[in-house]
Amino acid sequence: MKEVSSLIDRILFYALVPSFFILLYLIFIWSPVEKVMGVTQKIFYFHVGSAWVAFLAFFVVGYYSVRNLIKPNMKHFIFAGASAEIGVLFTTITLITGMIWGRASWNTWWSWEPRLVTTLILWFIYVAYLFIRKMDGSWEKIAKLSSVFGIIGCLNVPIVFMAIRWWNSKLHPIVFGEGKGQSGGGIEPEMLITLLFSVFTISLLYVFLMRKGAEIERMRVIVRNQKNKLMNKLAS
Amino acid sequence: MNYLFLATSVVWVLIAGYVVILGKRQKKLQKEIFQLEEWNSEQ
């Protein structure tokens, strides 16, 4: 079983390395330069790819949180924790790349507009979620309490996505679909392919990090059990 | 161009940093498990 797991990790790693090089080629060389924003628009590929993976990670947290709330299960608790951490990482990347893009196109690092505010709230919810998991006490209680935050955060994901469609945001443009007072103009086919490849590569990275994170969480459980065993041994 | 460079750097630094943190955590836990198992196996 361990050999299979290590083989999957190796396959993932060897798939990730060329994918990242292809992605860099697509972004910096192959995809066309946007007429208005110039090369700065290329931040879009990292920004949207990271946002997509953050959403995916929080949906995974939401799924395992619901299951944990119904019946606490160590495996689900581990997967939720590993996914939440990656979600926070990619939300951080989304926020920072968004700020840099905002500085280039809006001439400001931050604006209190719906998409940015809801994303920041999402980030805070999952940072709180990670702090709750570090609390002392029985893991079943922590699993139940943190699951509430996990579900609230997951419910916030569609709000973040729909924010620019529900509230008229003049700053944050809609690229795909329709919104209040604006409609998305779409993107060039080359840009779309690059974006899809970016989403694919970052999703692959998510799977890789998720497996690593889950492995570390499992090791923490072993340490806790071994410590308990030692304490019992010393007490008897 | 500067903004693109800045954004790309941030992405790579954060991802690489996280991978390094995961590696360090794993190493520390492996050491801890080994030590605890040794203590537990002692009579």
Side-chain angles (χ1 to χ4, degrees):
Chain A
M1 193 67 191
K2 211 174 174 184
E3 284 85 19
V4 176
S5 177
S6 138
L7 181 71
I8 294 171
D9 281 343
R10 235 176 298 160
I11 291 170
L12 273 171
F13 180 77
Y14 288 122
L16 260 173
V17 174
S19 294
F20 267 112
F21 281 109
I22 295 168
L23 179 63
L24 290 177
Y25 169 78
L26 292 177
I27 292 175
F28 292 102
I29 298 165
W30 190 70
S31 68
V33 176
E34 207 259 343
K35 278 177 190 162
V36 180
M37 283 193 68
V39 286
T40 310
Q41 180 271 339
K42 288 174 188 277
I43 296 172
F44 168 80
Y45 304 112
F46 295 119
H47 180 68
V48 178
S50 302
W52 152 256
V53 172
F55 288 173
L56 170 74
F58 294 143
F59 273 124
V60 171
V61 178
Y63 170 74
Y64 285 117
S65 294
V66 169
R67 294 194 70 173
N68 256 327
L69 211 55
I70 297 165
K71 193 178 177 217
N73 178 308
M74 182 54 89
K75 206 171 139 188
H76 299 158
F77 183 57
I78 285 173
F79 283 139
S83 191
E85 215 174 75
I86 303 166
V88 168
L89 170 75
F90 282 105
T91 310
T92 309
I93 290 176
T94 307
L95 282 169
I96 296 175
T97 51
M99 282 166 75
I100 296 168
W101 195 358
R103 175 76 180 124
S105 57
W106 311 335
N107 206 26
T108 178
W109 292 102
W110 186 263
S111 166
W112 294 100
E113 64 96 43
R115 175 59 69 81
L116 272 70
V117 173
T118 48
T119 310
L120 188 63
I121 291 169
L122 185 72
W123 187 84
F124 276 121
I125 291 171
Y126 280 103
V127 168
Y129 173 90
L130 292 176
F131 275 112
I132 289 168
R133 287 178 64 97
K134 301 259 179 225
M135 273 172 33
D136 283 334
S138 76
W139 75 267
E140 286 98 337
K141 273 188 185 171
I142 294 169
K144 283 205 167 184
L145 183 63
S146 61
S147 293
V148 175
F149 271 77
I151 294 165
I152 293 170
C154 183
L155 292 175
N156 191 30
V157 170
I159 298 173
V160 175
F161 181 76
M162 295 304 289
I164 53 172
R165 289 165 174 82
W166 286 341
W167 299 289
N168 194 1
S169 169
K170 292 272 185 276
L171 286 175
H172 222 120
I174 294 173
V175 180
F176 305 105
E178 297 280 323
K180 200 177 173 188
Q182 61 167 321
S183 60
I187 53 175
E188 289 286 312
E190 289 95 335
M191 287 178 173
L192 184 64
I193 291 167
T194 309
L195 176 64
L196 291 175
F197 195 79
S198 165
V199 168
F200 164 77
T201 307
I202 302 177
S203 301
L204 208 62
L205 179 65
Y206 166 76
V207 177
F208 179 77
L209 293 176
M210 178 79 180
R211 289 181 60 82
K212 282 274 159 218
E215 200 182 315
I216 287 167
E217 292 287 331
R218 265 194 292 271
M219 286 169 85
R220 278 205 182 117
V221 174
I222 295 171
V223 167
R224 200 180 303 159
N225 291 341
Q226 289 285 342
K227 274 184 182 168
N228 286 341
K229 204 174 153 187
L230 188 67
M231 292 298 272
N232 290 337
K233 197 179 157 188
L234 289 172
S236 62
Chain B
M1 191 67 186
N2 285 345
Y3 290 118
L4 177 63
F5 176 73
L6 182 63
T8 311
S9 307
V10 166
V11 171
W12 290 110
V13 165
L14 285 175
I15 292 173
Y18 184 63
V19 172
V20 169
I21 288 170
L22 284 184
K24 277 190 177 175
R25 272 186 205 164
Q26 198 172 12
K27 238 183 194 174
K28 194 184 156 210
L29 284 166
Q30 253 163 359
K31 234 177 171 179
E32 220 171 330
I33 290 169
F34 179 74
Q35 184 78 72
L36 283 164
E37 276 176 348
E38 211 175 62
W39 284 342
N40 275 321
S41 63
E42 279 174 13
Q43 291 302 310

